Amino acid sequence: MSPIDSIARQLRLPTKGLFGLITFHLLRRTNSGLERVAARLSAIEPHHNVLELGFGPGAGIEHALKYVKDGPGKIHGVDLSEYMLEKASAQLQAPIQAGKVELKHGNVMALPYDADSFHRVFHVNCYYFWPDLGDALQEIYRVMKPGGMMVTALSLKGLQQVQSKGLLKYGDPDYVKYMSALELSGFKDVRMEQFSKGTATYEAIFAHRPDKPGAA
């Protein structure tokens, strides 16, 4: 197995070992900016319960925590990788012990949360690896509160570069397909916006769960 193939597999599901450690540091370095963007654009309020899908090294959890630290809100995270859960839990030990953060091992296809739990959901470089977009999005819809919002942050330019290196051979980053699946799953006001900071550009996809079933 080539190093490129090994890292591509680790991007889909990081595991303990040399390439898992390389992937941890790669994600920590490359995703931090997008994680900050996703947390900021989620418009998190101090009382909100927030969920990050695929929290990886934990940078997004750290950024989101700033918005609830002075209120009753709490940041939750779920990740399919037990290795990422171990690493992020060590990184976030203090807020976990303080009851402001809770991390779980779990699958987006069967989220370990009650219905109507979260005001906000966000994720970065995550949906590419979901085995069934429709089923995953229906599950996310289930755990969101009516009127809740989900933010997906990505860099289309960065994705093109990563794809050209063969690092997404086990994922599908087609954002058009993803946005269509959001609408088919019942989300409303689905839109993509582009942002820039200096020479960097990035995109965010917004989706809302209606206040009432079937509401526009």
Side-chain angles (χ1 to χ4, degrees), residues 24 28 43 51 75 84 92 104 121-122 124 131 139 144 147 165 170 178 181 198 203 210:
F24 172 83
R28 185 80 186 175
L51 173 64
I75 309 301
M84 288 294 109
L92 296 161
K104 290 185 178 182
V121 176
F122 71 93
V124 170
E139 183 65 354
M144 289 177 66
K165 297 176 182 177
Y170 298 110
Y178 172 65
E203 288 75 28

Side-chain angles (χ1 to χ4, degrees), residues 187-214:
F187 288 91
K188 301 298 182 182
D189 303 321
V190 177
R191 70 187 192 280
M192 173 184 279
E193 295 185 15
Q194 187 176 72
F195 303 86
S196 61
K197 185 176 182 180
T199 59
T201 60
Y202 51 87
E203 288 75 28
I205 297 170
F206 298 86
H208 297 77
R209 177 177 169 177
D211 285 319
K212 297 178 182 179

Side-chain angles (χ1 to χ4, degrees), residues 141-169:
Y141 188 102
R142 179 186 69 81
V143 303
M144 289 177 66
K145 290 179 177 292
M149 179 175 70
M150 178 163 65
V151 173
T152 306
L154 63 158
S155 166
L156 295 181
K157 182 178 179 180
L159 282 173
Q160 290 177 346
Q161 294 173 346
V162 172
Q163 280 186 294
S164 69
K165 297 176 182 177
L167 293 173
L168 280 179
K169 62 189 296 185

Side-chain angles (χ1 to χ4, degrees), residues 13-213:
L13 179 60
T15 56
K16 187 174 292 187
L18 174 61
F19 284 104
L21 184 61
I22 291 172
T23 301
F24 172 83
H25 288 294
L26 178 66
L27 293 175
R28 185 80 186 175
R29 185 177 73 251
T30 59
N31 275 4
S32 183
L34 282 175
E35 297 277 11
R36 182 183 297 106
V37 165
R40 177 174 59 82
L41 294 178
S42 293
I44 299 167
E45 298 182 22
H47 68 282
H48 280 171
N49 284 322
V50 181
L51 173 64
E52 181 176 15
L53 302 165
F55 53 78
I61 302 290
E62 291 176 335
H63 292 307
L65 182 60
K66 300 172 186 176
Y67 299 100
V68 301
K69 63 181 179 64
D70 295 323
K74 186 172 180 177
I75 309 301
H76 300 255
V78 62
D79 202 295
L80 186 60
S81 168
E82 293 185 69
Y83 179 53
M84 288 294 109
L85 174 61
E86 176 187 326
K87 297 288 283 185
S89 295
Q91 187 79 21
L92 296 161
Q93 187 175 19
I96 290 173
Q97 291 180 344
K100 297 298 290 182
V101 168
E102 183 177 24
L103 304 181
K104 290 185 178 182
H105 175 246
N107 193 326
V108 69
M109 309 301 290
L111 290 168
Y113 304 104
D114 293 334
D116 304 341
S117 291
F118 301 106
H119 300 87
R120 298 289 186 267
V121 176
F122 71 93
H123 55 97
V124 170
N125 291 333
C126 188
Y127 74 82
Y128 325 142
F129 306 107
W130 297 346
D132 187 297
L133 280 178
D135 287 349
L137 291 171
Q138 287 175 23
E139 183 65 354
I140 296 167
Y141 188 102
R142 179 186 69 81
V143 303
M144 289 177 66
K145 290 179 177 292
M149 179 175 70
M150 178 163 65
V151 173
T152 306
L154 63 158
S155 166
L156 295 181
K157 182 178 179 180
L159 282 173
Q160 290 177 346
Q161 294 173 346
V162 172
Q163 280 186 294
S164 69
K165 297 176 182 177
L167 293 173
L168 280 179
K169 62 189 296 185
Y170 298 110
D172 182 2
D174 186 338
Y175 70 90
V176 175
K177 184 187 298 183
Y178 172 65
M179 294 177 71
S180 296
L182 281 165
E183 293 177 337
L184 289 172
S185 299
F187 288 91
K188 301 298 182 182
D189 303 321
V190 177
R191 70 187 192 280
M192 173 184 279
E193 295 185 15
Q194 187 176 72
F195 303 86
S196 61
K197 185 176 182 180
T199 59
T201 60
Y202 51 87
E203 288 75 28
I205 297 170
F206 298 86
H208 297 77
R209 177 177 169 177
D211 285 319
K212 297 178 182 179

Side-chain angles (χ1 to χ4, degrees), residues 1-13 15 18-20 23 166-167 169-170:
M1 187 183 302
S2 70
I4 291 294
D5 190 75
S6 295
I7 294 176
R9 291 176 183 273
Q10 289 292 322
L11 288 175
R12 180 180 61 178
L13 179 60
T15 56
L18 174 61
F19 284 104
T23 301
L167 293 173
K169 62 189 296 185
Y170 298 110

